[in-house]
Amino acid sequence: MMEAEERDLLAALRAFDVLLGAGVGLESVLINISRGGYGAISKDMEKIMDGVRAGRRIEDELTKATSRTKSTGYKRLLTTLKTNVTSNTDLISDLRRQADREEEERTDRIMKYIEALEGMPTALLTVGMLGPIVLPLMAVAPYLFAGASGLIDVPGPGVARMATFGGLAFCVFAMGLIGLKAHTRDPGV
């Protein structure tokens, strides 16, 4: 399952890139991100900035945040930020590389999702179109062949109606299960 931070990580990385590229300082960028719009990342940045306002060092707060998350991409972001604070690295190019990597991973997840759902439209068309055509024909078939030397017993109209409506209910149920398959394989992007 996808961690909460993963959903907004790419947008947050792009925001870091734009703001830092425009000359905004790291602490101001963290404050900007903490104001919202990036889900769990905004909440975490708010905790980091609350710690900084309380007098703790920013690298210590980044280390705490790194230990709190399970998301590897978000851990990578926090580690990159901490490395920049302690070693003064080229943060913008590091974040751009990380954003490109996250974008590739997201594209891979979407492609796997598309491949997993490849046969779904065919299954939906088969069940949704052929079922309502074939089931009434099967219910009417005994009446059509009733005169064929008594090979087929002719059921009452209630039996034919039950078979038709039961089959149609099954078709609707099957289509619901096929649709549920699409929702349970959501890549979360």
Side-chain angles (χ1 to χ4, degrees), residues 3-51:
E3 301 298 328
E5 294 94 355
E6 291 288 329
R7 290 192 184 274
D8 298 307
L9 182 60
L10 185 58
L13 284 166
R14 297 295 184 203
F16 270 103
D17 182 19
V18 168
L19 292 169
L20 290 170
V24 177
L26 179 60
E27 192 169 332
S28 297
V29 173
L30 292 175
I31 290 169
N32 190 305
I33 300 285
S34 73
R35 288 188 179 147
Y38 302 98
I41 293 175
S42 291
K43 292 174 188 167
D44 204 31
M45 293 295 165
E46 187 175 0
K47 288 178 189 175
I48 291 169
M49 293 315 298
D50 288 343

Side-chain angles (χ1 to χ4, degrees), residues 52 56-64 82 85-86:
V52 170
R56 291 186 288 276
R57 296 179 336 156
I58 195 166
E59 52 262 35
D60 296 337
E61 291 301 309
L62 289 168
T63 302
K64 274 194 236 175
K82 181 183 172 210
V85 169
T86 58

Side-chain angles (χ1 to χ4, degrees), residues 3 5-6 9-10 13 41 69-80 95 98-99 101-102 105 109:
E3 301 298 328
E5 294 94 355
E6 291 288 329
L9 182 60
L10 185 58
L13 284 166
I41 293 175
T69 187
K70 293 179 184 171
S71 164
T72 55
Y74 187 52
K75 274 186 184 184
R76 207 176 299 131
L77 169 64
L78 294 171
T79 303
T80 302
L95 291 175
Q98 186 176 351
R101 185 180 319 139
E102 289 297 322
E105 289 175 9
R109 283 194 306 261

Side-chain angles (χ1 to χ4, degrees), residues 3 22 33 35 47 72 82 84 93 104 124 128 130 134 157 171 173 180:
E3 301 298 328
I33 300 285
R35 288 188 179 147
K47 288 178 189 175
T72 55
K82 181 183 172 210
N84 178 262
S93 66
E104 285 176 19
L124 281 172
L130 292 180
V134 171
C171 285
F173 179 72
L180 181 65

